[in-house]
Amino acid sequence: MITPIKNTTPLPVLRLLGKLGSDIRDARLRRRIRTVTLAERALISRTTLHRIERGDPGVSIGNYSTVLFVLGLHDGIAELADRSRDVLGLDLLEERLPQRVRVPRRSAGPGPTGGR
């Protein structure tokens, strides 16, 4: 008996990918581009394009990105995990900052002022 493979993708991620796929489909339709044309321009199969438009989590991010590039919607990709928008990461980093800064004590030997 074959056991079905359990999908380990979290439900919120599936919803986001579904919205992304739907938005990609809408953008293609607004531009009046046929699936076969977009697939050719993105150098992917029509099957892969259909999977992207359904928000399939098994399709590589590279294929999603290429389709967005062909549609002229690729500008936001670099912003997805931009460190300046990582509020939680910045908060955690701030928590690890020292409470006060200690200046090292000067040694007892003569310094640049001649030992004064």
Side-chain angles (χ1 to χ4, degrees):
M1 181 156 115
I2 299 175
T3 333
I5 298 173
K6 183 179 175 187
N7 187 353
T8 58
T9 306
L11 187 58
V13 173
L14 291 174
R15 288 185 182 134
L16 290 171
L17 286 173
K19 181 185 180 323
L20 176 60
S22 176
D23 291 345
I24 287 172
R25 181 179 182 275
D26 291 346
R28 177 182 60 79
L29 292 173
R30 282 191 301 272
R31 288 160 176 74
R32 292 178 166 71
I33 300 174
R34 295 174 30 217
T35 55
V36 66
T37 304
L38 181 55
E40 285 174 0
R41 290 179 185 172
L43 303 174
I44 59 174
S45 69
R46 279 184 41 217
T47 303
T48 300
L49 178 59
H50 286 296
R51 289 175 59 202
I52 288 171
E53 290 185 350
R54 286 193 315 263
D56 187 331
V59 178
S60 77
I61 191 169
N63 286 336
Y64 275 95
S65 300
T66 302
V67 169
L68 289 168
F69 173 77
V70 171
L71 293 170
L73 299 172
H74 61 286
D75 290 340
I77 295 171
E79 305 299 318
L80 290 175
D82 184 74
R83 73 177 107 195
S84 66
R85 294 182 177 191
D86 183 7
V87 176
L88 176 60
L90 292 171
D91 287 346
L92 291 171
L93 191 63
E94 192 172 308
E95 282 180 10
R96 286 186 265 157
L97 291 175
Q99 294 297 317
R100 55 186 144 157
V101 177
R102 297 175 190 244
V103 179
R105 298 174 84 169
R106 291 178 32 180
S107 62
T113 59
R116 291 185 190 177

